[in-house]
Amino acid sequence: MKSNFRANLVKLLTFIGGMYFVVEFLVPLESYIDNFQDVHSKISDGYVLIGTMAFAIGIINLLLVYGSKLVFKRKGWFDSLVLLFGLALMLSVSVLDWRESLHSSKNLYELNMLSNFVETIISDSKSKKKGVPEVKERVRALERAYLKNVDVYERKISLVRNVILERKEDVSKVSSSLKDYRILNDKIKNAFLVNADLPIIQELISEQRQIAQHLFNLVYETSFIKKLYRLLYDGLFVSLGAAMFSLLGIYIAIAAYRAFRIQSFEAALMLGAALLVMLGQISFGLWISEDLPAIRNWLLQNPNSSAFRAIKIGASIAGLVMAFRMWLSIESDFTSGEDF
Amino acid sequence: MGIENATPGILVLFFLMLGPLFYYIEKAKKNKNLYVRKIAGIDAIDEAIGRSAEMGRPMSFSTGLTSISPTLYAVLGVLMYVSKKAAIYRNKLLVPQNNPEVMAIVENVVRDGYRAEGRISAYNPQNIRYLSQDQFAFASGYQGMMHRENVASAFLFGYFAAESLILAEAGKQVGAMQIGASVSPEQVPFFICTCDYTLISEELFASSAYLSRDHIQLGSLIAQDKAKLIIFVLLIIGILIATVKSFYPEISLPNIERLVTATYSEVYEYLRGI
């Protein structure tokens, strides 16, 4: 009874979920529902969330499989130790790197707010929005907010130079940006004093925000954690991936050797077609015959494309029928959730 | 405004494909002896399982880079079959995993397979191994596993990308009997070169029905064939229209694409014109 309830609940949720996406595809819901795109992105976020939670299952499995080898000192325990150490190291470095980047973006909070405020004032005045203070009053508020934050940012920006000096990095990268930042400070103050032209103020604040972002980013990029992360990820992980990918070159040659042994009529046909395609691809082929590129193109665009399309049509229809079955929970025992 | 993709043509196709599904599942319930043509690659599954049992070496079943999708559900039917047989013959079945979400489902399927044969005590959850979500880290882990465990039979079922040849070559190096089944046409030639048997594209979707003779799967397999027939008819109509147009350009005939994408008002206007 309990099992049936669970199975029925799963079926119902699957049907509702599937129906949502069918309707979302067929009907332009954004025409009927306000902020539909926001709702849709939240629903899509839900999928990402479930996927993220599933990562815990992966980590638990790694700990169980390789942790038990290590604890009971089974064959290959040292490899397991290296794997788990790598996992712990990469996990810790990634978390610390995320914290560092968060700190860097937090530094920009006030400038982001100011930038958004100018944008809102401009868009409200363009759309003649009612129920908001007058533009002049809002510009004065903007000016007050800006002046209040000038000193705060002056301190933050000065710190950047000290940090870069401490880390024995190239200070010249910072100096010119610092100079530009301070020039913009004066320009913005003047703009408020002279005629408070909003588009100009918006442009100046945005420029200043970009310079500040560049400076804080320099601090983040030169931090020990970021360097360690780059060493582990770009230096080690990406290189290992590239090494694995390069294996493909050798394996393709081995597979080609196996495939091109003439054991049957079909194999001979394939070898002939492959030779024509290869010779048609290289400039050397032109010395043999000027028709080779045209033959190559015909082989790729006609027999090859037709076969590809046939395979794709077959797989897509089969996938569609399977998707219908999944949506309507017309399933066999292995997915029904019922005990058997 | 209006009904975006639900044009009359799309809706007709939608129901044309959905209708046969229900009809043939009901038909399969009454008549279980529906004909499915012989597929050598699927017949070889039993041979591969038997080989592994005789040699006393493990077998592996990889779902590759398959995410939660119709392809995965097609693969699960075969995995269920293989895990049941593994339980009967007491084979060690290794299931390396790339996607943690898929792993959760795969674990249940393998466990259910052992349970169905009354051998749940033989089920070892540690044989379902999460390797990595990164494509080449997964391939590297798979290669290592094949060599360390000296696998006798390998099943490569699902969606594969550039790592397919690395996986299949790893099996070849340890002398494993391999059956590959991929839905991506680009990877099929690699499997043909390295695997003993290869299932091409939709044969993968047929494999579960072929093995289980389950009425739902058989019914949907036939419905799938009927849907293919509809597409085939549309292709023929398209070819005829294009041919007639090339010989007689003055004749006004709609493109096949227009038949599917025409809106309600366009269809109404066209019918009124007739």
Side-chain angles (χ1 to χ4, degrees):
Chain A
M1 186 68 193
K2 206 174 177 182
S3 171
N4 272 343
F5 172 72
R6 197 182 67 180
N8 288 335
L9 184 68
V10 171
K11 283 177 186 174
L12 181 72
L13 289 176
T14 310
F15 180 75
I16 293 170
M19 183 56 99
Y20 167 76
F21 282 102
V22 170
V23 173
E24 192 264 332
F25 174 72
L26 294 176
V27 183
L29 291 172
E30 59 273 14
S31 313
Y32 304 107
I33 302 167
D34 292 338
N35 301 325
F36 173 72
Q37 281 308 327
D38 292 344
V39 177
H40 184 65
S41 71
K42 273 179 188 153
I43 290 172
S44 307
D45 285 349
Y47 282 93
V48 178
L49 200 68
I50 292 169
T52 314
M53 285 194 286
F55 259 101
I57 301 171
I59 292 176
I60 291 168
N61 181 276
L62 280 174
L63 291 175
L64 280 175
V65 174
Y66 300 101
S68 65
K69 267 191 184 178
L70 187 65
V71 171
F72 299 109
K73 284 214 167 174
R74 287 197 203 118
K75 195 182 163 194
W77 67 270
F78 186 74
D79 296 341
S80 304
L81 177 71
V82 173
L83 184 130
L84 292 176
F85 175 73
L87 174 73
L89 182 69
M90 200 64 214
L91 202 67
S92 337
V93 170
S94 299
V95 170
L96 290 172
D97 179 60
W98 168 72
R99 271 189 57 184
E100 192 78 27
S101 70
L102 204 68
H103 178 70
S104 171
S105 55
K106 262 187 184 173
N107 273 331
L108 279 171
Y109 178 76
E110 290 87 354
L111 270 177
N112 282 338
M113 293 292 282
L114 285 168
S115 192
N116 291 342
F117 190 24
V118 192
E119 219 170 277
T120 316
I121 299 172
I122 293 172
S123 70
D124 285 354
S125 85
K126 271 184 189 166
S127 62
K128 291 176 184 165
K129 193 176 177 182
K130 286 175 185 171
V132 290
E134 271 185 33
V135 176
K136 275 186 183 173
E137 205 178 315
R138 293 178 96 183
V139 173
R140 275 200 296 277
L142 175 71
E143 187 182 0
R144 279 198 301 277
Y146 182 80
L147 293 175
K148 195 180 153 191
N149 283 298
V150 165
D151 292 338
V152 177
Y153 270 90
E154 187 54 42
R155 275 197 300 276
K156 282 184 185 179
I157 297 291
S158 306
L159 264 176
V160 171
R161 193 174 183 280
N162 296 343
V163 171
I164 296 291
L165 267 174
E166 264 173 39
R167 288 178 186 168
K168 292 175 184 163
E169 296 284 339
D170 185 6
V171 195
S172 62
K173 285 183 203 167
V174 185
S175 302
S176 62
S177 300
L178 270 173
K179 202 176 154 192
D180 291 345
Y181 180 88
R182 282 169 186 148
I183 291 169
L184 279 168
N185 244 352
D186 297 335
K187 277 187 181 174
I188 295 168
K189 280 179 196 167
N190 276 338
F192 277 121
L193 285 173
V194 181
N195 55 2
D197 188 359
L198 275 173
I200 291 175
I201 293 173
Q202 184 190 25
E203 200 179 306
L204 292 172
I205 290 182
S206 160
E207 207 177 319
Q208 196 178 35
R209 195 189 141 278
Q210 275 175 18
I211 295 173
Q213 188 177 15
H214 167 69
L215 288 166
F216 295 134
N217 213 29
L218 266 178
V219 175
Y220 167 59
E221 289 291 333
T222 53
S223 67
F224 170 72
I225 280 299
K226 185 66 191 172
K227 282 180 179 171
L228 185 60
Y229 179 83
R230 270 207 298 265
L231 175 77
L232 289 173
Y233 189 80
D234 298 333
L236 213 65
F237 187 75
V238 174
S239 314
L240 286 171
M244 278 306 291
F245 189 61
S246 65
L247 271 181
L248 260 183
I250 301 164
Y251 288 158
I252 285 176
I254 297 171
Y257 166 72
R258 247 185 247 130
F260 294 159
R261 275 180 303 179
I262 305 174
Q263 290 168 322
S264 60
F265 172 69
E266 288 88 348
L269 207 64
M270 195 163 91
L271 174 64
L275 276 176
L276 287 171
V277 170
M278 282 191 286
L279 289 172
Q281 181 79 31
I282 55 172
S283 49
F284 177 72
L286 282 171
W287 288 3
I288 301 169
S289 166
E290 285 185 357
D291 295 331
L292 276 172
I295 295 171
R296 169 196 167 270
N297 284 344
W298 183 84
L299 279 170
L300 288 179
Q301 283 166 13
N302 293 286
N304 187 58
S305 291
S306 319
F308 257 59
R309 283 177 195 165
I311 291 174
K312 282 200 168 169
I313 289 173
S316 306
I317 292 172
L320 185 72
V321 171
M322 184 63 87
F324 278 140
R325 266 173 53 197
M326 284 163 71
W327 173 34
L328 303 170
S329 295
I330 313 170
E331 282 306 336
S332 315
D333 46 13
F334 68 87
T335 44
S336 65
E338 287 158 16
D339 295 333
F340 59 99
Chain B
M1 190 61 195
I3 305 168
E4 197 178 36
N5 293 312
T7 59
I10 289 281
L11 283 182
V12 167
L13 274 179
F14 187 82
F15 287 108
L16 271 178
M17 292 197 182
L18 199 56
L21 181 67
F22 289 107
Y23 175 74
Y24 285 103
I25 285 174
E26 281 307 310
K27 203 174 170 188
K29 267 185 197 170
K30 289 170 198 154
N31 174 22
K32 282 207 170 191
N33 296 319
L34 289 168
Y35 173 74
V36 182
R37 76 173 166 85
K38 216 166 165 53
I39 303 173
I42 308 178
D43 287 332
I45 291 176
D46 279 332
E47 190 190 331
I49 297 168
R51 183 179 190 264
S52 157
E54 276 173 14
M55 296 175 91
R57 278 160 55 186
M59 47 187 184
S60 82
F61 192 107
S62 174
T63 54
L65 306 184
T66 317
S67 56
I68 296 180
S69 60
T71 308
L72 177 71
Y73 277 74
V75 170
L76 291 180
V78 186
L79 177 61
M80 179 64 135
Y81 181 83
V82 173
S83 55
K84 277 181 180 176
K85 292 282 178 182
I88 294 169
Y89 300 125
R90 295 187 185 275
N91 290 11
K92 184 177 180 181
L93 173 63
L94 299 162
V95 191
Q97 282 301 305
N98 158 267
N99 184 327
E101 287 168 283
V102 172
M103 194 176 84
I105 299 170
V106 160
E107 266 180 336
N108 274 332
V109 170
V110 177
R111 192 188 301 121
D112 285 351
Y114 276 80
R115 197 193 296 154
E117 295 303 330
R119 294 260 166 87
I120 190 70
S121 58
Y123 167 71
N124 183 359
Q126 294 199 0
N127 288 338
I128 293 148
R129 297 177 187 175
Y130 178 71
L131 297 178
S132 171
Q133 188 139 26
D134 181 84
Q135 184 185 12
F136 289 106
F138 170 74
S140 161
Y142 181 90
Q143 261 193 324
M145 186 198 77
M146 294 295 276
H147 283 275
R148 275 194 305 275
E149 300 280 352
N150 200 14
V151 168
S153 308
F155 302 94
L156 298 156
F157 277 64
Y159 173 75
F160 295 87
E163 81 297 339
S164 68
L165 189 59
I166 299 177
L167 307 185
E169 198 56 43
K172 196 84 187 169
Q173 282 169 2
V174 293
M177 177 178 173
Q178 300 197 96
I179 300 170
S182 175
V183 286
S184 36
E186 294 84 1
Q187 308 309 322
V188 169
F190 293 138
F191 279 162
I192 289 173
C193 290
T194 33
C195 294
D196 298 273
Y197 293 91
T198 306
L199 302 178
I200 299 173
S201 183
E202 64 196 294
E203 287 180 340
L204 164 64
F205 288 90
S207 53
S208 187
Y210 189 93
L211 289 168
S212 67
R213 307 292 304 173
D214 170 65
H215 64 269
I216 292 174
Q217 297 189 41
L218 277 174
S220 67
L221 184 62
I222 295 164
Q224 182 183 310
D225 272 359
K226 301 298 169 199
K228 229 185 316 171
L229 197 67
I230 295 167
I231 300 291
F232 184 69
V233 170
L234 285 175
L235 281 173
I236 296 293
I237 296 172
I239 291 166
L240 285 176
I241 291 174
T243 312
V244 170
K245 272 185 164 180
S246 70
F247 282 108
Y248 307 101
E250 66 278 7
I251 296 178
S252 157
L253 283 171
N255 285 329
I256 197 79
E257 183 209 344
R258 290 292 300 138
L259 288 177
V260 179
T261 56
T263 59
Y264 284 91
S265 52
E266 283 168 337
V267 172
Y268 178 70
E269 288 300 322
Y270 182 75
L271 291 176
R272 252 181 54 166
I274 292 171

